[in-house]
Amino acid sequence: MNGVKRPLTMKDIAKMAGVSTATVSRILNHNGRYSKETESRVKKLIEENNYVIDQTAKGLRKKYLETVGIIVPDITNPHFAKLVLNIQTSLFQRGYSSIIGNTNENLSLEEEHVHSLKAQHVCGFIMISTKRYHQSLRRFPTVYLDRPARGGEKEDITIESDNYKGGYLAGKQLGIASCKRLAIIRTNSNDCNQDSRKEGFLKALSEAGIPEEKVDVLDIGDALIQSAYSRIREEMRNGFLYDGLFCTTDTLATGVYTALREGNIKVPEEVKIVGFDDCDLAFTTGPGLTSVHQDVGKMAELAVDALVRRLTGEPLSSTHFYLPVYLSVRASTD
Amino acid sequence: MNGVKRPLTMKDIAKMAGVSTATVSRILNHNGRYSKETESRVKKLIEENNYVIDQTAKGLRKKYLETVGIIVPDITNPHFAKLVLNIQTSLFQRGYSSIIGNTNENLSLEEEHVHSLKAQHVCGFIMISTKRYHQSLRRFPTVYLDRPARGGEKEDITIESDNYKGGYLAGKQLGIASCKRLAIIRTNSNDCNQDSRKEGFLKALSEAGIPEEKVDVLDIGDALIQSAYSRIREEMRNGFLYDGLFCTTDTLATGVYTALREGNIKVPEEVKIVGFDDCDLAFTTGPGLTSVHQDVGKMAELAVDALVRRLTGEPLSSTHFYLPVYLSVRASTD
């Protein structure tokens, strides 16, 4: 399109793609009645030519896409950031816009977001909730992700990873590695999936002949890298006791790693570590972190599918989904 | 509050705090006329008792807080995640709610978010823009962060770090370390701050007697860890040529690190690396990454202050702010 000085119009895009302007409009509005092939051709042209939708051509499009509210406890946690990115992408493919309310695990802020987004007419919620259930969202299209709706009703949709199994796999791994002095590093900012992970872990250890009393539990106030780092630095002042650690999130594991590295304690030679989430941090940390893999892509897809079914009145096969997990084994337990 | 079975009301909280119901309401609405001490006492009680704002008590509070739209290119980049978290916290302290539109550096998605959020009556925007300027936001309260409004007008507010200076500091550091074969690893997904960082870097090298032609530029399609990782793995197939790298984001540096580690190339002994952003990744990677520090706290504060001034009609001292940067020196250049 060299030589074209005026901004591109929908007509230009239609001409380039060899389709009608109405087809381009339908594609922009996710409005059906076009082939996948046409859609991808048109979208490619839009992308390549930096075509900007003409805001004044209102007659040609809906006022705006229907919008879903996403509630998330902490976007600085790479696991949640990736999960939210997947949700947004999947929603957009299904023809929904989305906006994010970040709660910082703060109950009042979560309330405020729910209230404010509802007042702004979002059509539904995908909710990683600190509060765990919102009475005000009773019968409002809502999917509870990662943390089941507590005190909710039968028809509330929950999607979560098999956290118990994840903890169990972590315990097996440290048991096989013959660790003797073990600790769980966990956050006490939410009770549900943290408890299941701990229970699964203890079950595997008891099978390996290690009783619960032999396993210390270090509760960190939140799941921040910095908080785990500070706590382990503190522990190290009296000499570091452990040779096996199960960190219930990769962020906690990363804080632990950083503190051990500064104290010249070698992973995995002196301390073996298993994380949970298998997010970018597990891959980039050195040496690589063995971590329980959660399938955030599948999680997002399921959540969006369930929400869209609620919105369109299509039936759901179930209201409670458990996603399988597996262990990504890397150098930290080798 | 043991024994209280019914849900707590605002009256209960007021009684516990020894203040009037109206005061509690004002605190919940960020409505002034109470002391810091009263505020913190009431908030503590709300937190401790899991008090949930009664949605039906509408007379007592505004319908909802005014909401600011935050546009961000990629929340999975820890630098942006932290910046957005800071913006949200700062807005909330000033009595504004906020919602996030994540664009994935995609122009159409950014357009869609701006259009949809405006239609949903956000009162203003804080915008880390891929498009760089929105005609539809002309005279609408908007702050352009990190990337100046291109093609905008004099009254448009821009806040950015001193990217040129940052690049210069990176060049100085690798020059002092006597690196001979240098490369810039940059993203070509946005042109503004990337170009300034490169120019500053080349300026420092030319002062050290290294001409521009001696510096390779590796353009990565985006700023994702995984993309930099794949590219460096590819480079390594023909033997790795460089002993000094300037990565224009910490995410790129992290991808480079991970690839070099897998190839048993030692940092800093064989290759020295400087990143940009000084986000969590620089702190947690091993060995620690020397990185140009951007003050995301200050950036957020300035952005919110400027936006609130626009919203309330208060005067601004300037419309273009440059924030100072400095080098956080860690093991990667030691």
Side-chain angles (χ1 to χ4, degrees):
Chain A
M1 289 307 292
N2 288 329
V4 176
K5 295 292 182 219
R6 64 176 169 77
L8 283 178
T9 66
M10 205 181 277
K11 215 167 156 181
D12 297 322
I13 296 289
K15 206 169 162 190
M16 287 190 266
V19 298
S20 70
T21 315
T23 302
V24 177
S25 166
R26 281 204 302 278
I27 288 169
L28 288 171
N29 290 306
H30 312 273
N31 211 359
R33 287 176 290 149
Y34 44 79
S35 70
K36 273 277 152 214
E37 190 247 315
T38 306
E39 181 185 10
S40 89
R41 194 167 72 247
V42 168
K43 284 195 170 161
K44 198 153 166 267
L45 284 165
I46 286 173
E47 198 69 30
E48 282 170 5
N49 293 283
N50 285 347
Y51 166 63
V52 173
I53 297 160
D54 181 6
Q55 303 290 358
T56 63
K58 277 189 187 148
L60 289 172
R61 61 200 302 272
K62 278 195 295 190
K63 204 172 162 212
Y64 51 88
L65 296 182
E66 279 197 290
T67 302
V68 172
I70 303 172
I71 299 289
V72 58
D74 179 13
I75 52 161
T76 70
N77 182 329
H79 168 64
F80 288 131
K82 196 149 201 172
L83 181 55
V84 166
L85 180 67
N86 275 284
I87 293 170
Q88 290 206 300
T89 306
S90 177
L91 280 169
F92 202 62
Q93 283 162 354
R94 302 285 290 260
Y96 294 87
S97 165
S98 59
I99 41 188
I100 305 164
N102 186 42
T103 65
N104 232 355
E105 299 275 18
N106 176 316
L107 287 175
S108 337
L109 197 47
E110 183 169 314
E111 277 292 327
E112 189 64 60
H113 276 308
V114 167
H115 187 63
S116 156
L117 291 174
K118 252 192 99 178
Q120 279 166 86
H121 306 297
V122 296
C123 61
F125 281 95
I126 293 178
M127 172 96 51
I128 309 170
S129 175
T130 300
K131 182 163 183 278
R132 300 276 298 286
Y133 182 67
H134 289 264
Q135 189 62 32
S136 66
L137 295 181
R138 214 182 139 209
R139 297 199 184 133
F140 193 79
T142 303
V143 172
Y144 290 89
L145 198 59
D146 187 50
R147 304 168 181 181
R150 179 177 51 198
E153 299 182 20
K154 249 185 157 173
E155 74 264 22
D156 289 317
I157 302 165
T158 291
I159 296 166
E160 57 183 326
S161 282
D162 190 342
N163 290 295
Y164 182 87
K165 176 75 182 293
Y168 182 83
L169 291 173
K172 275 277 183 209
Q173 187 74 8
L174 293 179
I176 290 165
S178 306
C179 293
K180 296 276 172 280
R181 311 204 60 167
L182 292 145
I184 302 174
I185 319 272
R186 47 171 265 161
T187 165
N188 51 6
S189 68
N190 84 76
D191 53 353
C192 45
N193 57 31
Q194 295 293 307
D195 284 349
S196 311
R197 290 172 194 180
K198 178 183 159 193
E199 280 162 29
F201 183 73
L202 293 175
K203 169 73 176 160
L205 292 185
S206 91
E207 285 181 14
I210 302 169
E212 184 167 343
E213 308 82 64
K214 292 256 175 168
V215 182
D216 286 350
V217 178
L218 309 189
D219 267 317
I220 313 288
D222 50 49
L224 298 180
I225 293 172
Q226 188 66 50
S227 307
Y229 168 80
S230 304
R231 176 61 182 272
I232 298 298
R233 293 287 294 172
E234 210 182 289
E235 292 283 327
M236 282 162 60
R237 253 177 239 136
N238 318 313
F240 196 69
L241 295 171
Y242 308 105
D243 65 353
L245 300 174
F246 172 40
C247 302
T248 58
T249 74
D250 284 352
T251 49
L252 293 173
T254 300
V256 170
Y257 251 78
T258 308
L260 293 178
R261 186 188 303 127
E262 285 189 14
N264 287 316
I265 296 177
K266 297 243 171 310
V267 177
E269 293 82 352
E270 296 170 69
V271 184
K272 293 179 175 42
I273 305 182
V274 179
F276 205 110
D277 292 336
D278 200 20
C279 68
D280 270 357
L281 290 169
F283 165 68
T284 62
T285 198
L289 173 68
T290 295
S291 187
V292 177
H293 184 83
Q294 294 203 70
D295 190 344
V296 290
K298 184 78 186 161
M299 245 182 173
E301 193 189 306
L302 259 181
V304 169
D305 185 67
L307 183 67
V308 170
R309 282 172 183 275
R310 270 287 147 86
L311 290 168
T312 56
E314 283 173 81
L316 269 164
S317 61
S318 165
T319 55
H320 203 139
F321 299 87
Y322 289 95
L323 285 166
V325 295
Y326 61 84
L327 202 65
S328 285
V329 179
R330 296 194 186 84
S332 72
T333 54
D334 206 3
Chain B
M1 289 307 291
N2 287 330
V4 175
K5 294 292 180 216
R6 65 178 168 77
L8 283 179
T9 65
M10 204 182 276
K11 213 166 157 183
D12 296 321
I13 296 289
K15 206 169 162 190
M16 286 190 267
V19 298
S20 70
T21 316
T23 301
V24 176
S25 166
R26 280 203 303 277
I27 288 169
L28 288 171
N29 290 307
H30 312 273
N31 212 359
R33 288 177 290 149
Y34 44 80
S35 69
K36 274 276 153 213
E37 190 248 314
T38 305
E39 182 185 10
S40 88
R41 194 165 74 246
V42 167
K43 284 196 169 160
K44 198 155 165 265
L45 285 165
I46 287 173
E47 198 68 31
E48 282 171 4
N49 293 283
N50 286 347
Y51 166 63
V52 173
I53 297 160
D54 183 5
Q55 304 290 358
T56 63
K58 278 187 187 147
L60 289 172
R61 61 199 301 271
K62 280 195 292 189
K63 203 171 165 216
Y64 50 88
L65 296 183
E66 278 198 291
T67 302
V68 172
I70 304 172
I71 299 290
V72 58
D74 180 11
I75 53 161
T76 70
N77 182 329
H79 168 65
F80 289 131
K82 196 149 200 171
L83 181 55
V84 166
L85 180 67
N86 275 283
I87 292 170
Q88 290 205 302
T89 307
S90 178
L91 280 169
F92 202 62
Q93 283 163 354
R94 302 285 290 260
Y96 293 87
S97 166
S98 59
I99 43 188
I100 306 163
N102 185 42
T103 65
N104 232 355
E105 298 275 16
N106 176 314
L107 287 174
S108 338
L109 196 46
E110 183 169 316
E111 277 292 329
E112 190 62 61
H113 276 309
V114 167
H115 187 62
S116 156
L117 290 174
K118 251 191 99 178
Q120 279 167 86
H121 308 297
V122 297
C123 61
F125 281 94
I126 293 177
M127 173 96 52
I128 308 170
S129 176
T130 301
K131 183 165 182 276
R132 300 275 298 285
Y133 183 67
H134 289 264
Q135 190 61 34
S136 65
L137 295 182
R138 213 182 140 211
R139 296 200 185 133
F140 194 80
T142 304
V143 172
Y144 290 89
L145 199 58
D146 187 48
R147 303 167 182 181
R150 178 177 52 199
E153 300 182 19
K154 249 187 157 172
E155 74 263 22
D156 289 317
I157 302 165
T158 291
I159 296 165
E160 57 184 326
S161 282
D162 190 342
N163 290 295
Y164 182 88
K165 176 74 180 294
Y168 183 82
L169 292 173
K172 275 276 182 207
Q173 187 73 9
L174 293 179
I176 290 166
S178 306
C179 294
K180 297 277 172 280
R181 312 204 60 166
L182 292 145
I184 303 174
I185 320 274
R186 47 171 265 162
T187 167
N188 53 4
S189 67
N190 85 76
D191 52 352
C192 45
N193 57 31
Q194 295 292 308
D195 286 348
S196 312
R197 290 171 196 182
K198 179 183 158 193
E199 281 160 29
F201 183 72
L202 293 175
K203 168 74 175 159
L205 291 185
S206 91
E207 286 180 13
I210 302 169
E212 184 167 345
E213 309 81 65
K214 293 257 177 171
V215 182
D216 286 350
V217 178
L218 309 189
D219 266 317
I220 313 290
D222 50 49
L224 297 180
I225 293 172
Q226 188 67 49
S227 308
Y229 168 80
S230 304
R231 175 62 182 272
I232 298 298
R233 291 288 293 173
E234 210 181 290
E235 292 283 327
M236 282 162 58
R237 254 177 237 137
N238 318 314
F240 197 70
L241 294 172
Y242 308 105
D243 64 354
L245 299 174
F246 172 40
C247 302
T248 58
T249 73
D250 284 353
T251 49
L252 293 173
T254 301
V256 170
Y257 250 77
T258 308
L260 293 178
R261 186 188 303 127
E262 284 188 16
N264 287 317
I265 296 177
K266 297 246 173 304
V267 177
E269 292 83 353
E270 297 170 69
V271 184
K272 292 180 175 40
I273 306 182
V274 179
F276 205 109
D277 293 337
D278 200 20
C279 67
D280 270 357
L281 289 169
F283 165 68
T284 63
T285 198
L289 173 69
T290 295
S291 187
V292 177
H293 184 83
Q294 295 203 70
D295 190 344
V296 291
K298 185 78 186 162
M299 248 183 170
E301 194 189 305
L302 259 181
V304 169
D305 185 67
L307 183 67
V308 170
R309 282 173 184 275
R310 270 287 146 88
L311 289 169
T312 55
E314 284 172 80
L316 269 164
S317 62
S318 167
T319 55
H320 204 139
F321 299 87
Y322 288 96
L323 285 166
V325 296
Y326 61 84
L327 201 67
S328 285
V329 179
R330 297 195 185 84
S332 72
T333 54
D334 206 3

